Amino acid sequence: TLARAEALARAGDHARAAQEAAALAATSNPSPETLQRLAGVFSLCAAAAKDNTALSEAYAARAVSLLEQAGLF
């Protein structure tokens, strides 16, 4: 669930949070609000993965992509 992905991301478990968020983003036609919250999850994942630059940047790029999909950029 989205709440679980957010909780995992806040706890620093970026791998599981990103996996959960990616699955939710792949569902058919998520709302803009859901996309915005998923972007937040990926942003938290980026911060949690700060020791792995490539992974952190990939999470950040996914967050921006979701915000674009939500129509916020």
Side-chain angles (χ1 to χ4, degrees):
T1 67
L2 182 51
R4 184 164 94 169
E6 289 170 329
L8 288 167
R10 281 191 214 101
D13 190 349
H14 62 86
R16 288 177 54 202
Q19 182 180 26
E20 184 92 14
L24 291 167
T27 62
S28 62
N29 208 18
S31 71
E33 178 186 346
T34 297
L35 292 169
Q36 184 177 6
R37 288 178 64 191
L38 289 169
V41 170
F42 279 104
S43 295
L44 291 169
C45 289
K50 65 182 182 290
D51 293 336
N52 183 333
T53 302
L55 184 58
S56 181
E57 289 178 358
Y59 287 149
R62 185 68 190 270
V64 171
S65 175
L66 289 166
L67 291 173
E68 289 173 342
Q69 191 178 341
L72 298 173
F73 277 167

